[in-house]
Amino acid sequence: MKRLILISVFLMLLAGCTAHKPMAVAKIRIKGSDTMLLLAQKLAEEYMKKNPGISVYVEGGGTTSGVKAISEGTADICTASRTLNPGEVKVLAEKFSSVGLSFLIARDGLSVYLHPENPVKNLSLSQLEDIFTGKITNWRNLGGNDEEIITVVRTPNSGTYSYFREHVLNGKEYYGKAIVKHTTKSITKMIAENKHAIGYGGIGYNKGIKLSNINGISSSEENVRNNDYPICRYLYFYTPKQPRGEAQKFINWAMSMEGQKIVKVAGYIPIWRITY
């Protein structure tokens, strides 16, 4: 009898402990763009606060890995800093009879990162092309100190790597001596620790470094919104076909005025003008 009572008490205590921790009734899996990692994490965090029964899992790894994940069914949403390429569209079409659906989530002023003590404050697009292709290798040629330029770039699976190569390098190959980093965070960390380094990435990554003006124009919200800043782009959510259920609700929320306020808080440029 005592044993039965002890078991009963244990079960009651167990029930009491779990009563205040509701199990998630659904999960949303997001994977892709490292540029959007901070943004997706912030959106997920705020969405879960408002929807306690939903778990939102966010991973980076690059746009290419995100497209692969939705193609293989291991993610519900791909975050992408570029549009899909023909090969990726072909895979989706063959597996889902759909070329995929894109959703505009934010705008980004693709930023060039410099150390705060670097005297250079402005670079032209042509200078950036020369720097990242290895034509210019010393800061003195840019009005800086007589020091070797250390270029830092992303890996080829990064949408930002491809976008920068296409729109800034005009399709040319990156400098062979460039240091390759897997994440934007690791790029900014290296530049924050090295006065002679230069890299690039999303506008949301700006701690410990400074953002260079491009062609004399800063990457302010207004300049990006008006397309005055030379390297503006959209950031996307992709799904393999029409999303349903919780994934659809999350995307709708991210695109709403409420979700776009979180985009602004995260340091990116909202699709809509935010008024308070």
Side-chain angles (χ1 to χ4, degrees):
M1 175 65 76
K2 289 182 179 180
R3 187 178 178 184
L4 288 174
I5 292 173
L6 287 172
I7 292 173
S8 298
V9 170
F10 174 75
L11 291 174
M12 289 173 65
L13 289 171
L14 183 62
C17 291
T18 59
H20 301 290
K21 297 179 180 179
M23 297 293 288
V25 297
K27 63 181 179 180
I28 303 168
R29 303 162 300 173
I30 302 173
K31 184 174 176 62
S33 169
D34 189 70
T35 295
M36 295 179 68
L37 182 59
L38 291 177
L39 173 58
Q41 288 174 336
K42 188 65 177 177
L43 287 169
E45 178 185 328
E46 293 300 320
Y47 191 75
M48 287 189 288
K49 286 180 183 177
K50 297 178 178 296
N51 301 274
I54 308 298
S55 292
V56 185
Y57 300 92
V58 179
E59 289 184 69
T63 298
T64 299
S65 66
V67 178
K68 182 180 179 184
I70 61 170
S71 299
E72 296 176 347
T74 57
D76 304 299
I77 299 170
C78 162
T79 48
S81 58
R82 59 166 173 80
T83 55
L84 302 191
N85 62 45
E88 292 166 335
V89 171
K90 183 174 182 291
V91 170
L92 290 176
E94 289 174 349
K95 295 193 71 171
F96 300 98
S97 298
S98 165
V99 295
L101 291 180
S102 65
F103 304 87
L104 299 180
I105 299 301
R107 297 200 73 182
D108 181 33
L110 180 52
S111 301
V112 173
Y113 307 140
L114 299 174
H115 189 280
E117 295 181 18
N118 190 326
V120 175
K121 298 179 180 179
N122 176 71
L123 293 165
S124 68
L125 283 176
S126 61
Q127 286 173 329
L128 287 174
E129 179 183 334
D130 288 345
I131 291 169
F132 282 90
T133 57
K135 190 174 180 180
I136 295 178
T137 59
N138 195 298
W139 284 111
R140 70 170 177 264
N141 300 122
L142 302 164
N145 299 324
D146 184 10
E147 299 287 351
E148 181 183 359
I149 298 172
I150 300 172
T151 53
V152 192
V153 304
R154 288 292 312 282
T155 55
N157 68 321
S158 160
T160 301
Y161 172 100
S162 302
Y163 187 95
F164 195 85
R165 183 184 176 199
E166 178 182 351
H167 293 273
V168 178
L169 307 190
N170 295 304
K172 296 178 181 177
E173 294 293 335
Y174 281 95
Y175 184 35
K177 292 184 178 180
I179 296 173
V180 178
K181 292 291 184 180
H182 289 277
T183 66
T184 309
K185 186 176 181 180
S186 61
I187 287 181
T188 57
K189 182 177 185 296
M190 180 174 181
I191 294 171
E193 296 172 350
N194 194 309
K195 295 180 182 180
H196 315 306
I198 182 173
Y200 58 80
I203 195 173
Y205 291 80
N206 50 33
K207 293 184 179 179
I209 48 91
K210 71 177 182 181
L211 308 183
S212 174
N213 289 350
I214 307 299
N215 290 351
I217 302 170
S218 71
S219 55
S220 68
E221 178 174 344
E222 202 62 23
N223 286 338
V224 172
R225 190 175 296 285
N226 295 335
N227 290 317
D228 293 327
Y229 183 70
I231 327 174
C232 300
R233 60 178 177 170
Y234 284 103
L235 302 176
Y236 307 87
F237 281 170
Y238 273 97
T239 57
K241 54 185 178 180
Q242 179 63 47
R244 300 182 183 278
E246 296 303 331
Q248 177 68 74
K249 292 177 184 177
F250 175 76
I251 292 172
N252 288 345
W253 174 81
M255 296 172 66
S256 73
M257 193 62 72
E258 184 179 2
Q260 288 295 297
K261 287 181 179 180
I262 305 303
V263 170
K264 187 177 178 71
V265 169
Y268 296 78
I269 313 300
I271 298 298
W272 321 117
R273 287 188 181 275
I274 303 298
T275 55
Y276 294 95

